[in-house]
Amino acid sequence: MIVEDIRRLYAVHGRRELNFVDWEINGDPRHLEELCDLVIKKRLRLISWGEINARNTSPSLLAKMRRAGIRGVQVGIESFSKDTLRLIGKRATLVDNIKVLKWGIEAGLDVVLFNILCNHPLSSTQDPAENLRVLHLISHLLRPPVVPILNEVSLYRTSRLYRQAERFHLGKLTQFNYYRRLYPASRLKHEIPMFCLAYDALPVAPLWKKADTLLTRLKCAPVALTARRLKNGATLIHDSRGHRRRRFRLNGLEGDVLWEAMEDTPAIAAIATKLAAQEETVASVVGRLVRRGLAVQSHGQLFSLPLKAGVRH
């Protein structure tokens, strides 16, 4: 059905640009994969964009989306703070939100856009610092095709939180009666939702300015974190995220664990079973990788941060 709709649209309008503006194009990843297979098979040559959920992704799915012509995505990340994600009802974990950025780069997508909420009124005082910490950690990912945007939250007048407006130091909002003098009643009747949703901006914590400065600097002076598997089995790491460039090797189990979490988000027990190692030993290795900023762990998931050497970025 969708493929036939695409064909009809092209026949009528002669354009191949098509955007999937649903909440999430990958709500059912198997259905999306089937669609991509059909688009590739029919050679429809799409130039497309869609909104995706960070959880329902994999390297193979993102690569297939690219081959099908879905060249750009917007990911509903919103925050790298687990407390804020829980607060706004996001089920994606920190690992989910990072993996989709890295996998999108490795899949060759043209754009991977995401937003971060800077000033949610109920977020904790630690929220800016936690987001800034993660932005530094993944700074090697934060350049095209990845496009991060810091969004200031606005409080709608019809929301329950607006009843606590004084708590958030909001100024007086534009009154609905003001619009009644400017627009005819017939227009207000049809557009009343828009005019009722008058809002005011919430204050932004000063620490977010550092995040904005970091993102601006990375546009001009991008950094790198890559991993290359050598013939002798060792892993060569190149890291320029800090004040100086570092090159070092990971040998033995440390390198093996890093590669196990490159294209998946396995639990420690699963890695130990696959590598025939003691679970306590693997847990110790994971701790070292996390402390060195080479991996991130959240909700029992492990994910390696370096890009594979040779990936165009």
Side-chain angles (χ1 to χ4, degrees):
M1 176 69 75
I2 296 176
V3 170
E4 292 306 315
D5 286 343
I6 293 172
R7 279 181 159 177
R8 281 195 294 270
L9 287 170
Y10 178 70
V12 172
H13 301 287
R15 301 296 296 270
R16 299 192 182 277
E17 296 84 1
L18 178 67
N19 295 335
F20 295 91
V21 287
D22 195 355
W23 284 113
E24 48 188 42
I25 190 176
N26 63 334
D28 184 341
R30 289 177 298 179
H31 181 72
L32 175 58
E33 187 169 3
E34 291 173 2
L35 173 62
C36 290
D37 286 336
L38 281 172
V39 170
I40 294 169
K41 181 179 179 180
K42 301 292 184 181
R43 299 182 180 180
L44 296 183
R45 292 182 295 166
L46 281 180
I47 302 173
S48 186
W49 174 92
E51 298 182 12
I52 66 171
N53 186 311
R55 292 183 301 145
N56 302 330
T57 58
S58 67
S60 60
L61 178 60
L62 290 167
K64 187 167 289 188
M65 289 167 59
R66 177 64 178 85
R67 292 198 302 273
I70 304 176
R71 303 179 182 182
V73 296
Q74 177 172 327
V75 191
I77 288 180
E78 320 304 353
S79 178
F80 290 113
S81 164
K82 63 180 181 180
D83 292 335
T84 300
L85 290 173
R86 184 168 54 248
L87 174 69
I88 62 180
K90 286 281 186 178
R91 288 183 287 176
T93 66
L94 173 63
V95 167
D96 291 329
N97 287 336
I98 293 176
K99 74 182 184 184
V100 69
L101 303 181
K102 182 185 163 198
W103 288 345
I105 294 168
E106 294 177 336
L109 295 180
D110 293 349
V111 178
V112 182
L113 185 146
F114 72 94
N115 299 306
I116 298 181
L117 305 179
C118 291
N119 54 340
H120 192 285
L122 298 183
S123 62
S124 69
T125 54
Q126 289 76 34
D127 176 79
E130 178 62 13
N131 276 278
L132 184 59
R133 182 190 70 81
V134 175
L135 288 174
H136 276 289
L137 190 66
I138 64 170
S139 56
H140 61 295
L141 304 177
L142 301 180
R143 59 186 174 101
V146 174
V147 181
I149 298 176
L150 301 181
N151 274 348
E152 295 184 15
V153 178
S154 299
L155 192 62
Y156 286 103
R157 186 156 56 93
T158 53
S159 72
R160 288 179 298 174
L161 288 177
Y162 182 70
R163 299 171 188 172
Q164 308 175 57
E166 292 183 0
R167 172 182 170 188
F168 308 125
H169 309 290
L170 288 174
K172 184 177 180 181
L173 300 182
T174 304
Q175 297 299 311
F176 177 68
N177 288 337
Y178 172 77
Y179 294 103
R180 292 182 61 184
R181 297 196 299 269
L182 300 180
Y183 298 96
S186 59
R187 184 174 177 185
L188 284 176
K189 180 179 180 181
H190 295 290
E191 300 185 8
I192 195 168
M194 182 182 72
F195 290 112
C196 279
L197 294 179
Y199 59 83
D200 201 0
L202 296 166
V204 179
L207 199 57
W208 282 109
K209 294 182 179 179
K210 290 189 176 181
D212 184 57
T213 301
L214 170 65
L215 296 179
T216 301
R217 177 170 59 81
L218 290 172
K219 292 179 182 178
C220 304
V223 298
L225 176 63
T226 61
R228 183 190 301 276
R229 201 76 184 252
L230 303 177
K231 291 181 180 180
N232 63 1
T235 298
L236 180 63
I237 301 293
H238 173 221
D239 185 2
S240 63
R241 291 172 299 172
H243 296 296
R244 60 187 180 88
R245 297 176 182 270
R246 296 189 301 150
R247 294 173 70 90
F248 56 92
R249 294 188 181 194
L250 300 178
N251 296 303
L253 188 59
E254 204 168 25
D256 292 339
V257 170
L258 186 81
W259 285 101
E260 283 299 317
M262 277 285 191
E263 296 189 359
D264 199 359
T265 55
I268 289 176
I271 297 175
T273 299
K274 186 170 182 179
L275 297 179
Q278 293 291 326
E279 191 170 330
E280 294 80 5
T281 305
V282 172
S284 177
V285 169
V286 167
R288 291 200 299 272
L289 292 174
V290 171
R291 287 192 295 273
R292 299 177 77 174
L294 298 178
V296 62
Q297 191 176 21
S298 175
H299 294 77
Q301 300 172 295
L302 177 69
F303 187 63
S304 299
L305 294 176
L307 288 164
K308 296 175 185 176
V311 171
R312 295 182 61 186
H313 182 212

